[in-house]
Amino acid sequence: MITPDSPDRLYSTRLRTAVVLTGSGTAGAYHAGVLRALHEAGVRTDLVAGRGMGAVSAMFAAVDGGARLWEASGVWKGSKPAAFYRWRGALRVGGWAAVAAGVLLFFPVFLFACAILVGLAGFLLTLVGLDQAGSALTIRFTSWLAAMFTPASLPTIVPRLVLLVVLIALGALTAGIVAERFGKRGRRRRMRRGSDVVWRLVESPLSAAATFEAFAAELWTLIRGAAPLQQPRNTELGRRYVELISENLGQPGFRELLVVSHDLEARHDLVFAFLAEQHRARFFGRMPTTAQTPRGAEAFDLAGVAREHAMDVLSASLALPVTTEPHLVTFAPEGPWRGETHRLCDRPAALSRVLEEVAAAGAEQVVLLSASPRAGRPHELQAQRADLRGSAGDQLGAFESSGLRDVIELFTGRFAGLYVIRPEHNPLGPLDFAGVYDERSDRRYTLAELVDRGYEDAYRQFIDPVVGASGERMQSVGSR
């Protein structure tokens, strides 16, 4: 989808260009394919920005690490996504224990059902003249069934096993409550609702921990190179990441970075950015967007003290609203928040804020990447998802698609060119990391295919018709 402001204003490599990535969950696979195409075509990029999983993709693209997203051994074509946004550990153990208890309670009923089937089989054998075989089958099964229901067998074993699995479930929930209340996160949390600890396990049923660990490990692989060094703590890892950008900014593949997340405590968005020196002072020194929120309380310079929050930015971008726990960030005592601990998460409607900040950072033309397909048409409705993850993903995807439409309408005319790359059809919801059955094509659609679709769409929607038609020679990958 191409939305230049006017037909006589085409894409130009002379303009300051920003690539903006938006979306949650599986949208990262589509981003990976598009980034690969932009990399191969040598499309010049000065700034990468994003929200949600788009912020994660932007953090990789800023340090020439996009290959770790699209390679066969990378994140989106490997086996790692299968562990993304899994149910929290306590809920998984408790759920499987409840299933086991149900199976145990149903087992005696299952045996009686088998007795009916055996009786019918014996009767059929008798009808065909095999009286002895039918009688032997019936007698043997009846005697075995009688032995199973003696007082020392199933009537005693089943209740004990059910009690055991119930205790396991209670133990798992208790462990989750203890970790929530007295663990590291619990100590940092302001426990304003001490009686709601149990509810927190259900309030945020999914965990983003494995997702964060996977991307943090990939970033560390980029930073350490071939050196066999152990991954440091997140604070040190954030410093190393910012140092990598700082030392290489201006080299091919390294770009400026801008990421937006939401502060649940302050109830406004936070902007974390690493910009070139000529843009930094103007960006962080500009007037605040509202009189109630000072600019210093919502915009953080990753080149300064905020470099310690680089991994906090990654974790907060992966925190989905409602379904996962917000990420806790403790700000510096000398900063505007005086050492407070705030809850940060993604905000699906924050794309407009991202583009506002991108414009403030001096971007003149924008390439917008989104995995949200075009709006639905008549006779294209799909059946409602019955599972919780699928239902939550459907709603999240619908909100993001609608927000994308509003942003395109709002920002057309704000830039010399606004170019949108999005799929015509994408059956994967934000949480469908294992793939999904596509009703339209009557087959299974996978993450690897979404990566390839992003690659193809980038060429078909932007590189060939826009960059190729501009008549300008594409320069090497990277910033100026």
Side-chain angles (χ1 to χ4, degrees), residues 71-85:
E71 287 178 339
S73 60
V75 175
W76 293 111
K77 285 199 172 182
S79 59
K80 294 181 180 179
F84 289 177
Y85 294 107

PDB file of all heavy atoms in Angstrom, residues 71-85:
ATOM      1  N   GLU A  71      17.000 -15.225   9.511  1.00  0.00           N
ATOM      2  CA  GLU A  71      17.785 -16.391   9.110  1.00  0.00           C
ATOM      3  C   GLU A  71      17.089 -17.698   9.498  1.00  0.00           C
ATOM      4  O   GLU A  71      16.237 -17.724  10.384  1.00  0.00           O
ATOM      5  CB  GLU A  71      19.171 -16.340   9.754  1.00  0.00           C
ATOM      6  CG  GLU A  71      20.094 -15.292   9.152  1.00  0.00           C
ATOM      7  CD  GLU A  71      21.429 -15.270   9.861  1.00  0.00           C
ATOM      8  OE1 GLU A  71      21.491 -15.754  11.015  1.00  0.00           O
ATOM      9  OE2 GLU A  71      22.409 -14.764   9.281  1.00  0.00           O
ATOM     10  N   ALA A  72      17.499 -18.777   8.854  1.00  0.00           N
ATOM     11  CA  ALA A  72      16.913 -20.085   9.156  1.00  0.00           C
ATOM     12  C   ALA A  72      17.167 -20.482  10.602  1.00  0.00           C
ATOM     13  O   ALA A  72      16.356 -21.171  11.222  1.00  0.00           O
ATOM     14  CB  ALA A  72      17.489 -21.137   8.205  1.00  0.00           C
ATOM     15  N   SER A  73      18.306 -20.059  11.157  1.00  0.00           N
ATOM     16  CA  SER A  73      18.625 -20.350  12.561  1.00  0.00           C
ATOM     17  C   SER A  73      18.243 -19.205  13.480  1.00  0.00           C
ATOM     18  O   SER A  73      18.569 -19.224  14.669  1.00  0.00           O
ATOM     19  CB  SER A  73      20.125 -20.639  12.699  1.00  0.00           C
ATOM     20  OG  SER A  73      20.893 -19.503  12.280  1.00  0.00           O
ATOM     21  N   GLY A  74      17.576 -18.188  12.935  1.00  0.00           N
ATOM     22  CA  GLY A  74      17.203 -17.032  13.734  1.00  0.00           C
ATOM     23  C   GLY A  74      15.953 -17.263  14.558  1.00  0.00           C
ATOM     24  O   GLY A  74      15.472 -18.390  14.729  1.00  0.00           O
ATOM     25  N   VAL A  75      15.398 -16.157  15.038  1.00  0.00           N
ATOM     26  CA  VAL A  75      14.275 -16.238  15.965  1.00  0.00           C
ATOM     27  C   VAL A  75      13.016 -16.772  15.293  1.00  0.00           C
ATOM     28  O   VAL A  75      12.406 -17.743  15.757  1.00  0.00           O
ATOM     29  CB  VAL A  75      13.992 -14.855  16.587  1.00  0.00           C
ATOM     30  CG1 VAL A  75      12.744 -14.914  17.468  1.00  0.00           C
ATOM     31  CG2 VAL A  75      15.187 -14.380  17.401  1.00  0.00           C
ATOM     32  N   TRP A  76      12.619 -16.173  14.167  1.00  0.00           N
ATOM     33  CA  TRP A  76      11.285 -16.434  13.641  1.00  0.00           C
ATOM     34  C   TRP A  76      11.183 -17.656  12.752  1.00  0.00           C
ATOM     35  O   TRP A  76      10.078 -18.100  12.451  1.00  0.00           O
ATOM     36  CB  TRP A  76      10.777 -15.202  12.895  1.00  0.00           C
ATOM     37  CG  TRP A  76      10.532 -14.059  13.812  1.00  0.00           C
ATOM     38  CD1 TRP A  76      11.232 -12.894  13.890  1.00  0.00           C
ATOM     39  CD2 TRP A  76       9.524 -13.978  14.826  1.00  0.00           C
ATOM     40  NE1 TRP A  76      10.723 -12.086  14.878  1.00  0.00           N
ATOM     41  CE2 TRP A  76       9.677 -12.730  15.472  1.00  0.00           C
ATOM     42  CE3 TRP A  76       8.518 -14.830  15.250  1.00  0.00           C
ATOM     43  CZ2 TRP A  76       8.855 -12.324  16.509  1.00  0.00           C
ATOM     44  CZ3 TRP A  76       7.695 -14.432  16.297  1.00  0.00           C
ATOM     45  CH2 TRP A  76       7.867 -13.187  16.909  1.00  0.00           C
ATOM     46  N   LYS A  77      12.305 -18.225  12.328  1.00  0.00           N
ATOM     47  CA  LYS A  77      12.242 -19.449  11.547  1.00  0.00           C
ATOM     48  C   LYS A  77      12.744 -20.653  12.329  1.00  0.00           C
ATOM     49  O   LYS A  77      12.828 -21.752  11.782  1.00  0.00           O
ATOM     50  CB  LYS A  77      13.049 -19.286  10.254  1.00  0.00           C
ATOM     51  CG  LYS A  77      12.340 -18.417   9.219  1.00  0.00           C
ATOM     52  CD  LYS A  77      12.887 -18.635   7.821  1.00  0.00           C
ATOM     53  CE  LYS A  77      12.044 -17.925   6.787  1.00  0.00           C
ATOM     54  NZ  LYS A  77      12.529 -18.159   5.403  1.00  0.00           N
ATOM     55  N   GLY A  78      13.051 -20.456  13.604  1.00  0.00           N
ATOM     56  CA  GLY A  78      13.491 -21.549  14.444  1.00  0.00           C
ATOM     57  C   GLY A  78      12.367 -22.066  15.320  1.00  0.00           C
ATOM     58  O   GLY A  78      11.181 -21.849  15.061  1.00  0.00           O
ATOM     59  N   SER A  79      12.753 -22.728  16.401  1.00  0.00           N
ATOM     60  CA  SER A  79      11.768 -23.334  17.310  1.00  0.00           C
ATOM     61  C   SER A  79      11.472 -22.462  18.527  1.00  0.00           C
ATOM     62  O   SER A  79      10.611 -22.816  19.334  1.00  0.00           O
ATOM     63  CB  SER A  79      12.286 -24.697  17.782  1.00  0.00           C
ATOM     64  OG  SER A  79      13.540 -24.556  18.447  1.00  0.00           O
ATOM     65  N   LYS A  80      12.148 -21.342  18.671  1.00  0.00           N
ATOM     66  CA  LYS A  80      11.971 -20.511  19.858  1.00  0.00           C
ATOM     67  C   LYS A  80      10.567 -19.949  20.031  1.00  0.00           C
ATOM     68  O   LYS A  80      10.059 -19.869  21.151  1.00  0.00           O
ATOM     69  CB  LYS A  80      13.000 -19.382  19.853  1.00  0.00           C
ATOM     70  CG  LYS A  80      14.433 -19.851  20.008  1.00  0.00           C
ATOM     71  CD  LYS A  80      15.403 -18.685  20.010  1.00  0.00           C
ATOM     72  CE  LYS A  80      16.838 -19.181  20.170  1.00  0.00           C
ATOM     73  NZ  LYS A  80      17.815 -18.074  20.151  1.00  0.00           N
ATOM     74  N   PRO A  81       9.887 -19.511  18.959  1.00  0.00           N
ATOM     75  CA  PRO A  81       8.547 -18.933  19.154  1.00  0.00           C
ATOM     76  C   PRO A  81       7.539 -19.862  19.817  1.00  0.00           C
ATOM     77  O   PRO A  81       6.534 -19.394  20.349  1.00  0.00           O
ATOM     78  CB  PRO A  81       8.116 -18.578  17.723  1.00  0.00           C
ATOM     79  CG  PRO A  81       9.387 -18.350  16.993  1.00  0.00           C
ATOM     80  CD  PRO A  81      10.344 -19.348  17.565  1.00  0.00           C
ATOM     81  N   ALA A  82       7.788 -21.168  19.803  1.00  0.00           N
ATOM     82  CA  ALA A  82       6.843 -22.093  20.435  1.00  0.00           C
ATOM     83  C   ALA A  82       6.712 -21.831  21.933  1.00  0.00           C
ATOM     84  O   ALA A  82       5.691 -22.181  22.547  1.00  0.00           O
ATOM     85  CB  ALA A  82       7.290 -23.540  20.195  1.00  0.00           C
ATOM     86  N   ALA A  83       7.733 -21.220  22.531  1.00  0.00           N
ATOM     87  CA  ALA A  83       7.704 -20.928  23.976  1.00  0.00           C
ATOM     88  C   ALA A  83       7.280 -19.494  24.277  1.00  0.00           C
ATOM     89  O   ALA A  83       7.230 -19.107  25.449  1.00  0.00           O
ATOM     90  CB  ALA A  83       9.084 -21.191  24.586  1.00  0.00           C
ATOM     91  N   PHE A  84       6.939 -18.711  23.259  1.00  0.00           N
ATOM     92  CA  PHE A  84       6.577 -17.309  23.480  1.00  0.00           C
ATOM     93  C   PHE A  84       5.177 -17.202  24.085  1.00  0.00           C
ATOM     94  O   PHE A  84       4.245 -17.870  23.652  1.00  0.00           O
ATOM     95  CB  PHE A  84       6.623 -16.531  22.174  1.00  0.00           C
ATOM     96  CG  PHE A  84       8.012 -16.291  21.642  1.00  0.00           C
ATOM     97  CD1 PHE A  84       8.205 -15.643  20.428  1.00  0.00           C
ATOM     98  CD2 PHE A  84       9.128 -16.714  22.343  1.00  0.00           C
ATOM     99  CE1 PHE A  84       9.477 -15.420  19.935  1.00  0.00           C
ATOM    100  CE2 PHE A  84      10.412 -16.499  21.860  1.00  0.00           C
ATOM    101  CZ  PHE A  84      10.588 -15.848  20.659  1.00  0.00           C
ATOM    102  N   TYR A  85       5.048 -16.336  25.065  1.00  0.00           N
ATOM    103  CA  TYR A  85       3.770 -16.027  25.709  1.00  0.00           C
ATOM    104  C   TYR A  85       3.032 -17.288  26.142  1.00  0.00           C
ATOM    105  O   TYR A  85       1.839 -17.468  25.865  1.00  0.00           O
ATOM    106  CB  TYR A  85       2.894 -15.180  24.785  1.00  0.00           C
ATOM    107  CG  TYR A  85       3.461 -13.807  24.520  1.00  0.00           C
ATOM    108  CD1 TYR A  85       4.024 -13.489  23.292  1.00  0.00           C
ATOM    109  CD2 TYR A  85       3.444 -12.831  25.512  1.00  0.00           C
ATOM    110  CE1 TYR A  85       4.551 -12.228  23.047  1.00  0.00           C
ATOM    111  CE2 TYR A  85       3.967 -11.571  25.272  1.00  0.00           C
ATOM    112  CZ  TYR A  85       4.519 -11.273  24.044  1.00  0.00           C
ATOM    113  OH  TYR A  85       5.043 -10.033  23.812  1.00  0.00           O
TER     114      TYR A  85
END
